Amino acid sequence: MTLDKWLLLISEWHKRKQYKETIALETLLFTAPDSIWGPKLTDSQSKAIACWLDACLRLYQASKEHNSIKAYQMLQYACAHLEVTAFNPITEVEIQDWCLKRLQHLTVLRLEFCNQQQDQSIWNKEAHSLIDTHVKLMENISWNEPYTNLHHTSSIKH
């Protein structure tokens, strides 16, 4: 599927405002074209990556109350894609930066999720693992280092 076709379909899903219609949204999410992830930043790519993340978060919210494992898997799925994009050396820095910022937010969301679960022995281990993994990830990419090419305003749609 082309990026423009995918954008049209996800826009149509939003226009219908049937936000409980998650099966159609899941289908769109899991059939998203690879061009969402770059490597070049375009207006269509920018809109698509933001729509893709919005779809992940909507599916997370829809699953949170009745299927907590599926909800958590949706967050993990989103993070995995953001991490792959952030580490792709041919992806433009602006896309990488956007993904890393969203990854920070999703890490906090995953930690909050872990803290809200009933079986704290399992979820405490998961939370500690998330923290350790995230710290190592950020250290490995030196994202918080003072690189001049990372200090700019992102033009990816929010």
Side-chain angles (χ1 to χ4, degrees), residues 11-50:
S11 294
E12 288 172 0
W13 183 88
H14 276 284
K15 286 177 188 172
R16 287 192 307 267
K17 296 186 186 212
Q18 296 176 344
Y19 297 124
K20 297 200 185 267
E21 186 185 311
T22 60
I23 293 172
L25 186 57
E26 280 182 13
T27 301
L28 283 169
L29 182 68
F30 297 130
T31 60
D34 290 339
S35 53
I36 284 177
W37 309 107
K40 300 293 180 202
L41 178 62
T42 65
D43 286 342
S44 293
Q45 180 278 333
S46 173
K47 183 176 180 182
I49 197 171

Side-chain angles (χ1 to χ4, degrees), residues 3-13 15:
L3 185 63
D4 290 334
K5 174 71 174 170
W6 188 85
L7 274 171
L8 178 67
L9 292 172
I10 199 141
S11 294
E12 288 172 0
W13 183 88
K15 286 177 188 172

Side-chain angles (χ1 to χ4, degrees), residues 56-57 60 70-80 106 109-111 113:
C56 288
L57 292 172
Y60 161 73
K70 182 177 180 179
Y72 190 70
Q73 288 172 339
M74 188 53 54
L75 292 177
Q76 295 289 75
Y77 177 75
C79 288
L106 288 177
L109 189 58
R110 290 184 296 169
L111 288 170
F113 178 90

Side-chain angles (χ1 to χ4, degrees), residues 26-145:
E26 280 182 13
T27 301
L28 283 169
L29 182 68
F30 297 130
T31 60
D34 290 339
S35 53
I36 284 177
W37 309 107
K40 300 293 180 202
L41 178 62
T42 65
D43 286 342
S44 293
Q45 180 278 333
S46 173
K47 183 176 180 182
I49 197 171
C51 288
W52 183 90
L53 182 56
D54 178 71
C56 288
L57 292 172
R58 286 179 186 277
L59 289 169
Y60 161 73
Q61 286 296 335
S63 302
K64 194 172 155 182
E65 296 301 318
H66 64 279
N67 190 342
S68 61
I69 298 301
K70 182 177 180 179
Y72 190 70
Q73 288 172 339
M74 188 53 54
L75 292 177
Q76 295 289 75
Y77 177 75
C79 288
H81 276 283
L82 295 175
E83 287 175 9
V84 167
T85 303
F87 274 97
N88 186 344
I90 65 168
T91 300
E92 287 189 1
V93 170
E94 203 164 7
I95 298 170
Q96 292 174 329
D97 186 53
W98 186 90
C99 289
L100 288 168
K101 287 176 182 173
R102 292 337 168 269
L103 187 57
Q104 295 268 48
H105 294 216
L106 288 177
T107 299
V108 171
L109 189 58
R110 290 184 296 169
L111 288 170
E112 289 173 354
F113 178 90
C114 290
N115 288 332
Q116 295 168 355
Q117 300 311 300
Q118 296 297 320
D119 189 353
Q120 281 301 301
S121 62
I122 293 171
W123 290 102
N124 277 341
K125 289 178 188 173
E126 180 67 15
H128 285 10
S129 175
L130 282 173
I131 292 167
D132 291 343
T133 303
H134 188 71
V135 168
K136 287 176 186 168
L137 174 81
M138 291 300 152
E139 285 174 351
N140 284 332
I141 59 174
S142 303
W143 183 54
N144 291 324
E145 297 299 317

